[in-house]
Amino acid sequence: MDALATYLEQHRDEHLAALVDVLRIPSVSAQPAHAADVRRCAEHLASHLREIGLSHAEVVDTPGHPVVYAEWLGAPGAPTMLLYGHYDVQPPEPLELWRTPPFEPTLRDGKICARGACDDKGQVFMHVSAMRAHFAVSGRLPVNVKLVIEGEEEVGSEHLEGFLRVWKERLAADVIVVSDTGMLGPDQPSLCYALRGLCYAEIEVTGPARDLHSGEFGGAVANPALALAHVLDALKDADGRITVPGFYDAVRPLPAAERSALAALPFDEAGFIRESGAPEAVGETGYSTMERVSARPTLDVNGMWSGYTGPGAKTVLPSVAAAKVSMRLVPDQRPEAVYAAFEKHVRSLAPRGVAVKVSYHHGADPFLTEPSHPAMQAAIRALARSWSKPPALIREGGSIPVMATFQKVLGLPSILMGFGLHDDQVHAPNEKFSLTSFHGGTTSCAYLYEELARG
Ligand code: BES
Ligand code: MN
Ligand code: MN
């Protein structure tokens, strides 16, 4: 073992304790009641970064939640890495399904359980620990670092682009590093070269002006819940293809070589479907499960409501029915263009007797990088050193809105080196992060800085 690995091994408890401290802060960006906690989390992070040896750390206000910016620039001549992550977390609800409270971190079966354990505080703190290791072993870092840890990722990163444009000069760097994705399996390190984008919309169908007695009026006027069901059902055909005209126009076809590479990944498909709890895999005809969850666009209903849903029966003809619909996008789809086509199609599907309103929530561009760039090669070497096997090159189905913005505004190569597992229950009750991922990921981050310095 080298000095870095030895130091990290000997200081595991201390580094885990630092993660536990930040996991106690309920930095839920979506809920206004937690705005002060979000800020407290930013302040805590900034002062922790100063304590571990960064030369500068500050909390930068935005029109929304603050950004934490920190730097250490003591390696003249060496490359500069811009580390991005997020300290905000998803709402913990439904609370009754948590085995232990979401903001009282608990160790169970070699995993740290808390909201944000994996997404993304645990992964940000792998880097914090990796920097501590370098400072302890050699008093310096192998590369210059600039950190941008934001507080609005889980709500669409609305104000980050403005921050990036204003801070552009100060953020000058050679490479972007992000740990906010997953690995194929607990001992299969992975590097991600593509993320899907997002287009999030809402449909509201209104029939009668108020709820009606279904015996008195039923049969005479349209039912908005049935009308909504009709619209939603028509959005996909029997082959699982999305029916919105023009939806696939900008989709870049998957090259044959990439399809074979994806097919050759050590992906435990049966285990993945088992983990979902669904009875079987179902999706677009002609594509594998791996392609369906990472390289193909999707359309899903995230929530829908109408009429009476309480106990027992109520004979009512509802006035309103609504649904939240999200579409995951792939290169070169754009959320604005997809939304325009979606809205037009939904309107055209509306049956008689109802009014349909469509609205846009937020979107993210898809992201794709060239896996052959030198920074990616450095990450491949770092992962091979720490996990004793080469990483798998994967595409991920989730979205990190800022990745496309980084490409557009700063024009830099990006490394997505993440350590989440499919059973980490991110965004769900009982989120956790395996200590194998946390400690293995920390060593990988420490090695990554060395490999980036090697060029
Ligand atoms: N860390 C995730 C993104 C992710 C998830 C990457 C799974 C790879 C695999 C991130 O925090 C996230 O949840 N993003 C949101 C973005 C949305 C709120 C704009 C997502 O993907 O739903
Ligand atoms: Mn995340
Ligand atoms: Mn998330």
Side-chain angles (χ1 to χ4, degrees), residues 323-373:
K324 296 190 190 282
V325 178
S326 69
M327 289 157 275
R328 294 283 170 175
L329 312 180
V330 299
D332 298 310
Q333 289 179 300
R334 290 288 169 264
E336 300 77 17
V338 165
Y339 177 71
F342 174 82
E343 181 183 1
K344 193 167 163 213
H345 189 51
V346 167
R347 286 186 184 291
S348 79
L349 290 169
R352 286 178 53 202
V354 293
V356 173
K357 203 175 102 193
V358 189
S359 55
Y360 181 66
H361 276 286
H362 58 82
D365 284 345
F367 168 80
L368 179 68
T369 186
E370 182 45 65
S372 63
H373 65 73

Side-chain angles (χ1 to χ4, degrees), residues 8 14 28 52 87 113 174 210 217 228 237 309 359 440 448:
L8 285 169
E14 197 184 329
V28 184
I52 67 149
Y87 68 83
C113 308
D174 301 291
R210 57 189 164 80
F217 288 93
L228 176 64
D237 69 15
T309 56
S359 55
L448 174 66

Side-chain angles (χ1 to χ4, degrees), residues 166-287:
V166 172
W167 281 61
K168 191 171 182 239
E169 318 280 271
R170 181 95 184 251
L171 299 178
D174 301 291
V175 59
I176 289 166
V177 173
V178 180
S179 293
D180 192 24
T181 51
M183 50 204 281
L184 268 187
D187 49 15
Q188 180 55 63
S190 308
L191 277 171
C192 172
Y193 65 92
L195 292 167
R196 289 194 288 197
L198 187 68
C199 173
Y200 204 116
E202 187 160 329
I203 305 175
E204 193 184 78
V205 178
T206 308
R210 57 189 164 80
D211 286 2
L212 303 173
H213 189 297
S214 67
E216 193 182 358
F217 288 93
V221 295
N223 181 311
L226 279 171
L228 176 64
H230 166 80
V231 169
L232 294 176
D233 183 56
L235 291 174
K236 276 194 182 181
D237 69 15
D239 285 324
R241 300 237 339 151
I242 295 150
T243 58
V244 176
F247 183 85
Y248 292 95
D249 284 1
V251 172
R252 231 192 270 183
L254 270 176
E258 189 174 1
R259 294 194 79 175
S260 347
L262 292 176
L265 288 172
F267 171 54
D268 173 14
E269 177 174 345
F272 177 74
I273 298 298
R274 209 178 318 115
E275 179 54 40
S276 78
E280 60 180 312
V282 172
E284 189 184 2
T285 305
Y287 294 92

Side-chain angles (χ1 to χ4, degrees), residues 86 90 119 153-156 180-182 195 198 328 362-364 396-401 427:
H86 62 96
Q90 285 274 324
D119 185 12
E153 197 275 346
E154 298 291 10
V155 288
D180 192 24
T181 51
L195 292 167
L198 187 68
R328 294 283 170 175
H362 58 82
E396 287 259 48
S399 313
I400 304 178
H427 292 203

